[in-house]
């Protein structure tokens, strides 16, 4: 029970890595708020948790909306009295567009979900963390936030921004008992591909050399284990870092 009596919010927790993190956290004793834009799917995650003897509630939230972020954290505190762990997992892909083909609306939507939501949720969580001088923030970035040829320009830029935000937040609040780290997954078998619509052939073609050296796809549960470690007291001296989980993809 590495997270006994902790209260955790996990965004994008109706499927994929977010779902795996939520279920694992609950099995380790956390009270989990399963947040997702798809409420019915979030309730299914909650059902899996409660059926196994865990504790969780589902809260519908579009992380691109400031009002939803406010309501998510406020409802969590009302339900459980506090917040201890924030996992900013929700994210969407682009269509591998290079800079010359990006539409403003697509750029803005990707940044709203992948980056601005991380800032807003962190900003709101800090109102709970700072008074008690304790809290953990885990941002799900991507190896696309470390390299230039794993996605299109918008997704790549959005995840690079998450990496920088993580490092800055970890440093800024290090003396306040707050840790902020990021996970940079490689290829993981989730449904994020469903957020892609019309693949840019040129952009996809340019990323193929890097894609070809991926040793294997990962499973959401493998990333969840890392998220558990970073949330636990075992990681008390780890702050402001980005941990890659990609099966050796970027070691080439």
């Amino acid at each position: 029970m590495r997270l006994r009596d902790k209260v955790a919010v996990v965004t994008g927790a109706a499927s994929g890595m977010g779902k795996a993190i939520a279920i694992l956290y609950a099995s380790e004793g956390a009270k989990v708020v399963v947040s997702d834009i798809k409420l019915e799917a979030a309730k299914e995650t909650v059902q899996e948790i409660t059926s196994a003897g865990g504790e969780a509630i589902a809260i519908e939230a579009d992380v691109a909306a400031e009002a939803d972020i406010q309501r998510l954290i406020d409802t969590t505190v009302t339900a459980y009295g506090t917040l201890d762990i924030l996992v900013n997992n929700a994210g969407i892909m682009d269509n591998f567009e290079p800079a010359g083909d990006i539409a403003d609306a697509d750029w803005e939507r990707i940044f709203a979900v992948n980056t601005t939501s991380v800032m807003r949720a962190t900003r709101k969580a800090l109102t709970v963390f700072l008074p008690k001088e304790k809290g953990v923030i885990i941002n799900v970035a991507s190896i696309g936030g470390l390299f230039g040829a794993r996605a299109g320009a918008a997704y790549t830029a959005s995840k690079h921004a998450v990496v920088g935000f993580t490092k800055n937040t970890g440093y800024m609040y290090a003396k306040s008992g707050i840790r902020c780290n990021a996970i940079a997954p490689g290829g993981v078998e989730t449904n994020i591909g469903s957020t892609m619509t019309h693949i840019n052939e040129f952009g996809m073609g340019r990323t193929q050399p890097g894609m070809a050296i991926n040793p294997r796809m990962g499973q959401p549960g493998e990333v969840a284990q890392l998220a558990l470690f970073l949330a636990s007291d075992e990681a008390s001296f780890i702050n402001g870092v980005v941990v890659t989980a990609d099966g050796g993809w970027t070691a080439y």
Side-chain angles (χ1 to χ4, degrees):
M1 290 293 184
R2 296 153 79 182
L3 302 181
R4 184 184 298 277
D5 297 326
K6 300 293 186 182
V7 177
V9 165
V10 184
T11 67
S15 62
M17 292 182 291
K19 180 176 182 176
I21 291 168
I23 291 172
L24 183 59
Y25 278 13
S27 74
E28 291 286 342
K31 300 177 180 69
V32 181
V33 174
V34 176
S35 170
D36 203 278
I37 197 170
K38 298 178 179 178
L39 181 59
E40 292 308 311
K43 288 180 179 178
E44 291 176 7
T45 301
V46 169
Q47 179 61 37
E48 288 191 41
I49 290 171
T50 56
S51 295
E55 186 171 354
I57 58 172
I59 298 178
E60 182 179 6
D62 177 357
V63 295
E66 164 70 2
D68 281 18
I69 293 289
Q70 292 286 328
R71 180 172 51 80
L72 170 61
I73 304 301
D74 286 341
T75 304
T76 297
V77 174
T78 298
Y80 291 126
T82 190
L83 173 65
D84 301 294
I85 303 161
L86 169 66
V87 181
N88 288 307
N89 166 75
I92 57 174
M93 276 290 290
D94 59 16
N95 289 311
F96 287 84
E97 297 98 338
D101 296 336
I102 298 172
D104 282 1
D106 293 337
W107 174 275
E108 291 163 3
R109 175 63 178 168
I110 288 163
F111 264 81
V113 174
N114 291 0
T115 310
T116 306
S117 71
V118 173
M119 178 277 291
R120 286 173 170 166
T122 298
R123 182 174 62 190
K124 180 65 173 178
L126 285 168
T127 65
V128 183
F129 293 164
L130 285 171
K132 63 180 184 178
E133 297 187 328
K134 191 172 181 63
V136 175
I137 302 161
I138 299 169
N139 299 323
V140 178
S142 167
I143 61 168
L146 303 173
F147 298 89
R150 297 296 185 273
Y155 181 89
T156 299
S158 73
K159 292 300 187 177
H160 271 75
V162 170
V163 167
F165 183 80
T166 298
K167 293 180 177 181
N168 180 269
T169 302
Y171 177 79
M172 289 290 188
Y173 298 101
K175 292 185 176 181
S176 302
I178 296 163
R179 295 188 294 109
C180 181
N181 295 296
I183 299 171
V188 180
E189 293 183 5
T190 71
N191 65 350
I192 194 170
S194 66
T195 64
M196 296 186 286
T197 51
H198 301 94
I199 303 299
N200 185 285
E201 292 185 9
F202 171 75
M204 175 63 84
R206 289 292 293 149
T207 65
Q208 285 307 303
M211 298 293 186
I213 62 172
N214 182 13
R216 71 174 178 89
M217 295 294 285
Q219 296 299 317
E222 294 178 291
V223 177
Q225 290 291 341
L226 177 54
L228 172 60
F229 169 68
L230 291 175
S232 73
D233 290 341
E234 296 166 21
S236 59
F237 200 47
I238 299 175
N239 186 28
V241 303
V242 181
V243 184
T244 301
D246 69 353
W249 189 358
T250 55
Y252 176 76

